[in-house]
Amino acid sequence: MLVVAVLVAAAAVVTDRREGFVVAVFLVTLLVVAAVSVQVRRARLSVARRTPSDLLAVGERTDVVLDVRTESWDPSITRWRDRVPASFGEPPEGLADELAEASVAGVVRATYSIRPERRGEFPLGPLVVTREDPFGLVEAERSSDARNAVIVTPSVFPLVRSDLVQASGEGARHEHRMSNHPRVDELIAREYRSGDPMRRIHWRATARRGELMVRQEEQEIDPAVVLLFDTATASDGSRTASDAVFEHLVDLAASISTHVLAGGFRLTLVESVPRGTALSERFEPAQAADVLRRLALVTPTRPSTDAPDVAVVSREVLDRVGAPVPFVVLLAEIGVATARRLAPLVRLADPAIAFVPPGDGSVEGAGLLRAAGWIVGVADPRQAVPDIWNATVLVDRGEAGVR
């Protein structure tokens, strides 16, 4: 319209026709009025989004219900678009007429699907509406302030049950003697010792053994597994593992965590370099969602100059446990020096399992761990998580190798 107005004005000058200027001024005025009307009239929208959960899973399609509340749907609104991260797929959009027809009691509702391809915390929104003047000359976009944060959790794969986390140690629910503990799960007999109260004499065992026997209280403790994720970067801040390997380790950690929690174990999750959170956190069997929430936000972190390395952190955690437990460590790198410091910790775990990145750089370090009694698996991004797990816990440990 501006081009036409300029051409008409130019023609009016050449032909000395005054009415041409009137037409040009009318066109420009109409355009200005249309622009002002679109800019001044603002849509007042109250936007709410609903998802089945604030935790979404990588690769799973989820429906988002979009509720837009307004006193009356502005007829100047022609299109809508909800902003979503690029990893969620194409931005959902549609014609405003379709929303207006679906409005009920001042609520305009739309439903769209998203399919996240990356883990992490992401915003949904804001809602953007496009307005046009009645002549269709000018359009403007307005966005609401409402946003919703969702957390996309890592991929979780079902894993087969293994005797590795059912071995001796706390993972087997073996019994620790706690003579003065108020909760008694089982009573067994032992030989009478001077000073034992007579009320604790086990008469049936005494008759059977032919000597005084007393009841010894024992308590069955809850099973526990410790999983350590090596999140440290190199000293210069560079990544010690590629993005693909690190993300595969995250998926492996998520799958192992949900696997052991589903089996009734308590899980102690440790990051070698904490991200403003506690170094370790304990999760009960019913807290699988909390574990996935934490793993969704894990990132490679540069340690401080005086921060302990993964071997020191492992020893501290295992010492606090106080008994051999299944210990799983996911390593972003496994050099010879790191392997030599980790190798002696095998005696504090039952069993000790390490997952290392693929490549020639891991061969020697993995060999040192295996020679010390560790069970070593390779977190190769080209292999599915269940296949890595099976190749580690089901095949002959002596034949497992680093590829």
Side-chain angles (χ1 to χ4, degrees):
M1 184 167 286
L2 286 175
V3 171
V4 171
V6 170
L7 293 177
V8 170
V13 171
V14 173
T15 61
D16 195 21
R17 301 292 296 270
R18 187 166 297 185
E19 57 270 25
F21 289 102
V22 176
V23 174
V25 170
F26 172 75
L27 294 177
V28 173
T29 302
L30 183 61
L31 188 60
V32 171
V33 170
V36 171
S37 67
V38 169
Q39 293 293 330
V40 171
R41 296 178 61 191
R42 294 179 178 271
R44 296 184 178 181
L45 307 175
S46 175
V47 180
R49 295 171 189 83
R50 291 183 287 114
T51 57
S53 170
D54 63 340
L55 291 181
L56 311 181
V58 167
E60 291 187 5
R61 190 167 295 278
T62 303
D63 289 335
V64 179
V65 178
L66 184 69
D67 288 338
V68 183
R69 295 182 180 272
T70 179
E71 295 179 359
S72 62
W73 189 257
D74 193 334
S76 66
I77 299 177
T78 58
R79 297 188 303 276
W80 65 273
R81 182 179 79 257
D82 207 19
R83 289 179 178 171
V84 299
S87 60
F88 281 36
E90 291 294 327
E93 57 185 351
L95 298 177
D97 292 341
E98 299 173 356
L99 293 181
E101 293 174 358
S103 62
V104 177
V107 178
V108 179
R109 177 168 296 174
T111 301
Y112 61 87
S113 295
I114 54 178
R115 190 173 184 270
E117 296 296 338
R118 290 174 49 208
R119 65 178 179 85
E121 186 174 13
F122 302 95
L124 294 181
L127 177 71
V128 179
V129 295
T130 302
R131 304 182 45 162
E132 289 184 357
D133 70 283
F135 300 102
L137 300 177
V138 179
E139 66 177 28
E141 289 188 343
R142 298 293 183 195
S143 60
S144 66
D145 295 330
R147 290 177 173 85
N148 294 80
V150 294
I151 294 179
V152 181
T153 62
S155 299
V156 176
F157 301 91
L159 304 179
V160 298
R161 292 179 62 86
S162 168
D163 290 339
L164 289 181
V165 289
Q166 305 292 343
S168 61
E170 289 188 69
R173 290 182 173 268
H174 74 286
E175 298 166 342
H176 279 205
R177 294 184 175 182
M178 301 181 66
S179 299
N180 297 319
H181 199 282
R183 181 168 67 92
V184 179
D185 294 312
E186 185 180 359
L187 299 178
I188 67 171
R190 63 167 173 82
E191 295 179 356
Y192 175 84
R193 297 171 187 167
S194 177
D196 286 336
M198 296 299 293
R199 68 176 181 272
R200 292 180 56 191
I201 292 179
H202 195 302
W203 296 107
R204 182 177 301 175
T206 297
R208 185 171 60 250
R209 294 286 298 273
E211 59 180 324
L212 282 178
M213 303 291 290
V214 297
R215 295 189 300 270
Q216 169 64 49
E217 298 173 359
E218 293 191 349
Q219 181 195 14
E220 183 184 76
I221 63 176
D222 294 323
V225 174
V226 176
L227 187 148
L228 185 141
F229 198 142
D230 180 19
T231 57
T233 62
S235 58
D236 59 357
S238 62
R239 299 287 289 270
T240 55
S242 67
D243 290 339
V245 172
F246 189 86
E247 292 303 317
H248 212 49
L249 288 173
V250 175
D251 291 345
L252 184 59
S255 301
I256 295 175
S257 298
T258 55
H259 175 70
V260 299
L261 289 174
F265 292 84
R266 284 181 177 177
L267 174 71
T268 299
L269 180 63
V270 186
E271 295 179 33
S272 62
V273 182
R275 304 165 285 109
T277 59
L279 176 67
S280 62
E281 187 174 357
R282 175 174 289 185
F283 298 93
E284 300 295 332
Q287 294 181 298
D290 295 331
V291 177
L292 295 179
R293 188 188 302 272
R294 176 160 179 166
L295 288 173
L297 305 179
V298 68
T299 57
T301 308
R302 185 175 182 177
S304 60
T305 55
D306 57 347
D309 64 9
V310 63
V312 174
V313 173
S314 300
R315 180 179 292 277
E316 291 177 354
V317 173
L318 292 175
D319 284 342
R320 285 201 300 267
V321 173
V325 296
F327 178 51
V328 182
V329 57
L330 307 176
L331 297 170
E333 66 89 21
I334 178 62
V336 174
T338 300
R340 286 175 176 169
R341 291 192 296 270
L342 281 173
L345 301 184
V346 68
R347 67 178 185 274
L348 302 178
D350 185 17
I353 309 172
F355 290 93
V356 302
D360 296 338
S362 300
V363 174
E364 189 173 357
L368 290 174
L369 290 182
R370 188 175 294 108
W374 285 70
I375 299 167
V376 181
V378 183
D380 191 338
R382 296 169 296 181
Q383 285 186 293
V385 167
D387 294 339
I388 295 173
W389 174 259
N390 294 343
T392 304
V393 304
L394 298 183
V395 301
D396 184 1
R397 312 296 187 267
E399 296 179 358
V402 177
R403 297 180 297 275

